[in-house]
Amino acid sequence: VGSDAYIAKAKAIGALQGEAMGQRLIDRADMQAQVLAILTPEQAEQYQQMRDEMGEKRSERMQKHSKNGDHSS
């Protein structure tokens, strides 16, 4: 069990990381809105399809990685 000072420091670091993650999400959403604003409807559709495909691939990689990392069996 950590000391009170250690626990307080860990909580502070966690709060800062949470704030930074929140700002990154906001920045990413702003950037995507700017990109979509300059695309034609056809380009916006292609962009969304590309993002969907990338998301699927990322999900597959994460599932594969989690299976490879599972040493419980």
Side-chain angles (χ1 to χ4, degrees), residues 16-62:
L16 287 173
Q17 288 178 335
E19 290 173 19
M21 181 181 289
Q23 188 60 50
R24 283 192 303 270
L25 291 171
I26 291 168
D27 292 346
R28 175 177 272 177
D30 288 343
M31 184 271 309
Q32 289 177 1
Q34 291 174 11
V35 168
L36 289 171
I38 62 172
L39 298 178
T40 65
E42 293 83 12
Q43 290 172 325
E45 186 176 334
Q46 289 176 335
Y47 176 75
Q48 189 58 49
Q49 288 175 351
M50 178 188 70
R51 289 190 41 80
D52 291 345
E53 290 171 5
M54 289 172 54
E56 289 172 12
K57 288 180 182 179
R58 184 173 31 254
S59 178
E60 289 170 5
R61 283 194 310 270
M62 290 181 75

